[in-house]
Amino acid sequence: MQGIRHIIFDLGGVILNIDISLTARAFESLGLDNFGKHYSQAHVSTLFNDLETGRVSEQEFVDKMKSVLPEGTTDQQVIDAWNALLLDYPVARLQLLQQLRNHYDLFLLSNTNAIHMKAFNKILERERGIPSLAAFFDKTYYSHLMGCRKPEPEAWQMVLDENGLKPEHTLFIDDTLPNVEAARALGIQSVHLQSPGTVLDIFKPKK
């Protein structure tokens, strides 16, 4: 952490527990075969990419998903299946953010969408009584509001430029390797968080 003044966090798999297989199974139970072929952390089809960059609306996404699902599938069933991957916020990770904020500028940079954003903030409010992740960061950046997504360089450049951050004084933490590699190419010190490790391990005092 020597020289680090700013930390940019990914959300899913770093702060928020997620399990993409739950959404895959939920859509498959609705009648969509091979959901994983269309969506994964490493690869997203055009529809999911457009949702995560704000090029299609929530309703357009739901309607397009319904068009490949059996007749009679409701909007809410699509939304519930899409949100199934969102799990919980371990309290120790939220406490870590609170502690780090005393010493560093903290930012959130997440590939997400309007449907998930509503849901993960509801989870936070239900579990911890906090209405928004904004409470833990100096600023939050969500791909569907930015119009770009990781690993596009523009995503990090927006965070750096808007906040006057120097890459060499900035740490980025993500659980997806292409995102980490893209950040490193910009000169940002980056950590690839790999299971079963958690973000807590990064900040454990060295023995």
Side-chain angles (χ1 to χ4, degrees), residues 129-162:
I130 300 169
S132 170
L133 279 165
F136 296 93
F137 298 94
D138 291 87
K139 194 164 184 181
T140 55
Y141 288 86
Y142 299 112
S143 61
H144 70 289
L145 300 176
M146 300 166 70
C148 59
R149 67 190 296 280
K150 300 172 293 185
E152 296 166 12
E154 293 85 355
W156 290 277
Q157 203 62 55
M158 188 179 297
V159 181
L160 296 175
D161 291 348
E162 288 189 1

Side-chain angles (χ1 to χ4, degrees), residues 24-41:
R25 289 203 292 270
F27 273 116
E28 287 163 6
S29 72
L30 291 176
L32 177 64
D33 293 329
N34 297 320
F35 175 83
K37 178 182 176 183
H38 304 284
Y39 181 91
S40 71
Q41 277 184 296

